[in-house]
PDB file of all heavy atoms in Angstrom:
ATOM      1  N   LEU A 198      36.671-108.275   7.507  1.00  0.00           N
ATOM      2  CA  LEU A 198      37.404-107.355   6.646  1.00  0.00           C
ATOM      3  C   LEU A 198      38.895-107.615   6.854  1.00  0.00           C
ATOM      4  O   LEU A 198      39.301-108.073   7.927  1.00  0.00           O
ATOM      5  CB  LEU A 198      37.079-105.903   6.994  1.00  0.00           C
ATOM      6  CG  LEU A 198      35.618-105.473   6.932  1.00  0.00           C
ATOM      7  CD1 LEU A 198      35.451-104.057   7.487  1.00  0.00           C
ATOM      8  CD2 LEU A 198      35.089-105.543   5.505  1.00  0.00           C
ATOM      9  N   ALA A 199      39.711-107.308   5.854  1.00  0.00           N
ATOM     10  CA  ALA A 199      41.150-107.543   5.995  1.00  0.00           C
ATOM     11  C   ALA A 199      41.923-106.529   5.164  1.00  0.00           C
ATOM     12  O   ALA A 199      41.406-105.991   4.173  1.00  0.00           O
ATOM     13  CB  ALA A 199      41.507-108.961   5.550  1.00  0.00           C
ATOM     14  N   LYS A 200      43.161-106.255   5.565  1.00  0.00           N
ATOM     15  CA  LYS A 200      44.040-105.368   4.801  1.00  0.00           C
ATOM     16  C   LYS A 200      44.706-106.187   3.701  1.00  0.00           C
ATOM     17  O   LYS A 200      45.345-107.197   3.964  1.00  0.00           O
ATOM     18  CB  LYS A 200      45.113-104.778   5.716  1.00  0.00           C
ATOM     19  CG  LYS A 200      44.579-103.873   6.806  1.00  0.00           C
ATOM     20  CD  LYS A 200      45.721-103.381   7.688  1.00  0.00           C
ATOM     21  CE  LYS A 200      45.208-102.556   8.864  1.00  0.00           C
ATOM     22  NZ  LYS A 200      46.324-102.126   9.763  1.00  0.00           N
ATOM     23  N   ARG A 201      44.547-105.707   2.476  1.00  0.00           N
ATOM     24  CA  ARG A 201      45.170-106.375   1.337  1.00  0.00           C
ATOM     25  C   ARG A 201      45.692-105.319   0.379  1.00  0.00           C
ATOM     26  O   ARG A 201      44.941-104.447  -0.054  1.00  0.00           O
ATOM     27  CB  ARG A 201      44.162-107.278   0.612  1.00  0.00           C
ATOM     28  CG  ARG A 201      43.759-108.512   1.423  1.00  0.00           C
ATOM     29  CD  ARG A 201      42.808-109.397   0.658  1.00  0.00           C
ATOM     30  NE  ARG A 201      42.535-110.626   1.377  1.00  0.00           N
ATOM     31  CZ  ARG A 201      41.673-111.565   0.951  1.00  0.00           C
ATOM     32  NH1 ARG A 201      41.015-111.391  -0.180  1.00  0.00           N
ATOM     33  NH2 ARG A 201      41.479-112.656   1.662  1.00  0.00           N
ATOM     34  N   PHE A 202      46.978-105.422   0.078  1.00  0.00           N
ATOM     35  CA  PHE A 202      47.625-104.488  -0.852  1.00  0.00           C
ATOM     36  C   PHE A 202      47.391-103.037  -0.425  1.00  0.00           C
ATOM     37  O   PHE A 202      47.140-102.154  -1.247  1.00  0.00           O
ATOM     38  CB  PHE A 202      47.109-104.705  -2.269  1.00  0.00           C
ATOM     39  CG  PHE A 202      47.216-106.131  -2.736  1.00  0.00           C
ATOM     40  CD1 PHE A 202      46.077-106.919  -2.874  1.00  0.00           C
ATOM     41  CD2 PHE A 202      48.458-106.704  -3.000  1.00  0.00           C
ATOM     42  CE1 PHE A 202      46.175-108.231  -3.290  1.00  0.00           C
ATOM     43  CE2 PHE A 202      48.564-108.019  -3.421  1.00  0.00           C
ATOM     44  CZ  PHE A 202      47.418-108.790  -3.560  1.00  0.00           C
ATOM     45  N   GLY A 203      47.451-102.786   0.880  1.00  0.00           N
ATOM     46  CA  GLY A 203      47.333-101.437   1.408  1.00  0.00           C
ATOM     47  C   GLY A 203      45.924-100.922   1.562  1.00  0.00           C
ATOM     48  O   GLY A 203      45.722 -99.774   1.966  1.00  0.00           O
ATOM     49  N   LYS A 204      44.932-101.744   1.249  1.00  0.00           N
ATOM     50  CA  LYS A 204      43.544-101.325   1.375  1.00  0.00           C
ATOM     51  C   LYS A 204      42.753-102.327   2.210  1.00  0.00           C
ATOM     52  O   LYS A 204      43.077-103.514   2.261  1.00  0.00           O
ATOM     53  CB  LYS A 204      42.888-101.186  -0.002  1.00  0.00           C
ATOM     54  CG  LYS A 204      43.408-100.008  -0.813  1.00  0.00           C
ATOM     55  CD  LYS A 204      42.576 -99.831  -2.080  1.00  0.00           C
ATOM     56  CE  LYS A 204      43.013 -98.600  -2.856  1.00  0.00           C
ATOM     57  NZ  LYS A 204      42.181 -98.395  -4.068  1.00  0.00           N
ATOM     58  N   VAL A 205      41.693-101.818   2.835  1.00  0.00           N
ATOM     59  CA  VAL A 205      40.790-102.695   3.579  1.00  0.00           C
ATOM     60  C   VAL A 205      39.730-103.216   2.615  1.00  0.00           C
ATOM     61  O   VAL A 205      39.085-102.433   1.906  1.00  0.00           O
ATOM     62  CB  VAL A 205      40.131-101.947   4.746  1.00  0.00           C
ATOM     63  CG1 VAL A 205      39.155-102.874   5.485  1.00  0.00           C
ATOM     64  CG2 VAL A 205      41.189-101.415   5.704  1.00  0.00           C
ATOM     65  N   GLN A 206      39.556-104.514   2.585  1.00  0.00           N
ATOM     66  CA  GLN A 206      38.582-105.133   1.686  1.00  0.00           C
ATOM     67  C   GLN A 206      37.762-106.166   2.441  1.00  0.00           C
ATOM     68  O   GLN A 206      38.213-106.740   3.432  1.00  0.00           O
ATOM     69  CB  GLN A 206      39.290-105.814   0.515  1.00  0.00           C
ATOM     70  CG  GLN A 206      40.152-104.895  -0.321  1.00  0.00           C
ATOM     71  CD  GLN A 206      40.910-105.656  -1.397  1.00  0.00           C
ATOM     72  OE1 GLN A 206      40.608-106.815  -1.697  1.00  0.00           O
ATOM     73  NE2 GLN A 206      41.915-105.027  -1.981  1.00  0.00           N
ATOM     74  N   ALA A 207      36.550-106.390   1.958  1.00  0.00           N
ATOM     75  CA  ALA A 207      35.758-107.493   2.486  1.00  0.00           C
ATOM     76  C   ALA A 207      36.351-108.806   1.989  1.00  0.00           C
ATOM     77  O   ALA A 207      36.740-108.916   0.825  1.00  0.00           O
ATOM     78  CB  ALA A 207      34.311-107.364   2.023  1.00  0.00           C
ATOM     79  N   VAL A 208      36.441-109.779   2.865  1.00  0.00           N
ATOM     80  CA  VAL A 208      36.957-111.089   2.483  1.00  0.00           C
ATOM     81  C   VAL A 208      35.794-111.908   1.942  1.00  0.00           C
ATOM     82  O   VAL A 208      34.891-112.303   2.687  1.00  0.00           O
ATOM     83  CB  VAL A 208      37.605-111.800   3.691  1.00  0.00           C
ATOM     84  CG1 VAL A 208      38.117-113.180   3.280  1.00  0.00           C
ATOM     85  CG2 VAL A 208      38.742-110.951   4.254  1.00  0.00           C
ATOM     86  N   LEU A 209      35.804-112.140   0.637  1.00  0.00           N
ATOM     87  CA  LEU A 209      34.684-112.801  -0.027  1.00  0.00           C
ATOM     88  C   LEU A 209      34.992-114.260  -0.317  1.00  0.00           C
ATOM     89  O   LEU A 209      36.104-114.604  -0.725  1.00  0.00           O
ATOM     90  CB  LEU A 209      34.343-112.085  -1.334  1.00  0.00           C
ATOM     91  CG  LEU A 209      33.948-110.615  -1.238  1.00  0.00           C
ATOM     92  CD1 LEU A 209      33.671-110.052  -2.624  1.00  0.00           C
ATOM     93  CD2 LEU A 209      32.736-110.443  -0.337  1.00  0.00           C
ATOM     94  N   GLN A 210      33.994-115.090  -0.112  1.00  0.00           N
ATOM     95  CA  GLN A 210      34.091-116.505  -0.467  1.00  0.00           C
ATOM     96  C   GLN A 210      32.936-116.831  -1.400  1.00  0.00           C
ATOM     97  O   GLN A 210      31.794-116.404  -1.166  1.00  0.00           O
ATOM     98  CB  GLN A 210      34.014-117.393   0.777  1.00  0.00           C
ATOM     99  CG  GLN A 210      35.209-117.250   1.706  1.00  0.00           C
ATOM    100  CD  GLN A 210      35.137-118.223   2.874  1.00  0.00           C
ATOM    101  OE1 GLN A 210      34.064-118.597   3.312  1.00  0.00           O
ATOM    102  NE2 GLN A 210      36.293-118.614   3.370  1.00  0.00           N
ATOM    103  N   ASN A 211      33.231-117.571  -2.461  1.00  0.00           N
ATOM    104  CA  ASN A 211      32.174-117.947  -3.389  1.00  0.00           C
ATOM    105  C   ASN A 211      31.097-118.761  -2.687  1.00  0.00           C
ATOM    106  O   ASN A 211      31.376-119.526  -1.760  1.00  0.00           O
ATOM    107  CB  ASN A 211      32.748-118.767  -4.546  1.00  0.00           C
ATOM    108  CG  ASN A 211      33.524-117.912  -5.528  1.00  0.00           C
ATOM    109  OD1 ASN A 211      33.385-116.696  -5.551  1.00  0.00           O
ATOM    110  ND2 ASN A 211      34.356-118.554  -6.321  1.00  0.00           N
ATOM    111  N   SER A 212      29.901-118.597  -3.147  1.00  0.00           N
ATOM    112  CA  SER A 212      28.801-119.428  -2.677  1.00  0.00           C
ATOM    113  C   SER A 212      28.959-120.830  -3.275  1.00  0.00           C
ATOM    114  O   SER A 212      29.952-121.116  -3.958  1.00  0.00           O
ATOM    115  CB  SER A 212      27.469-118.793  -3.080  1.00  0.00           C
ATOM    116  OG  SER A 212      26.395-119.449  -2.451  1.00  0.00           O
ATOM    117  N   ASP A 213      28.010-121.710  -3.046  1.00  0.00           N
ATOM    118  CA  ASP A 213      28.088-123.042  -3.633  1.00  0.00           C
ATOM    119  C   ASP A 213      28.021-122.938  -5.160  1.00  0.00           C
ATOM    120  O   ASP A 213      27.602-121.921  -5.717  1.00  0.00           O
ATOM    121  CB  ASP A 213      26.951-123.914  -3.107  1.00  0.00           C
ATOM    122  CG  ASP A 213      25.595-123.439  -3.600  1.00  0.00           C
ATOM    123  OD1 ASP A 213      25.032-122.524  -2.974  1.00  0.00           O
ATOM    124  OD2 ASP A 213      25.116-123.948  -4.625  1.00  0.00           O
ATOM    125  N   ALA A 214      28.439-123.985  -5.842  1.00  0.00           N
ATOM    126  CA  ALA A 214      28.615-123.949  -7.293  1.00  0.00           C
ATOM    127  C   ALA A 214      27.317-123.613  -8.041  1.00  0.00           C
ATOM    128  O   ALA A 214      27.330-122.823  -8.996  1.00  0.00           O
ATOM    129  CB  ALA A 214      29.166-125.283  -7.781  1.00  0.00           C
ATOM    130  N   LEU A 215      26.194-124.178  -7.631  1.00  0.00           N
ATOM    131  CA  LEU A 215      24.938-123.905  -8.333  1.00  0.00           C
ATOM    132  C   LEU A 215      24.459-122.479  -8.082  1.00  0.00           C
ATOM    133  O   LEU A 215      23.954-121.820  -9.000  1.00  0.00           O
ATOM    134  CB  LEU A 215      23.858-124.905  -7.922  1.00  0.00           C
ATOM    135  CG  LEU A 215      24.015-126.322  -8.457  1.00  0.00           C
ATOM    136  CD1 LEU A 215      22.850-127.207  -8.009  1.00  0.00           C
ATOM    137  CD2 LEU A 215      24.119-126.333  -9.984  1.00  0.00           C
TER     138      LEU A 215
END
Side-chain angles (χ1 to χ4, degrees):
L198 303 172
K200 295 178 185 177
R201 290 182 174 177
F202 307 108
K204 290 188 176 182
V205 178
Q206 301 175 14
V208 179
L209 301 179
Q210 293 184 330
N211 286 342
S212 190
D213 68 276
L215 287 182

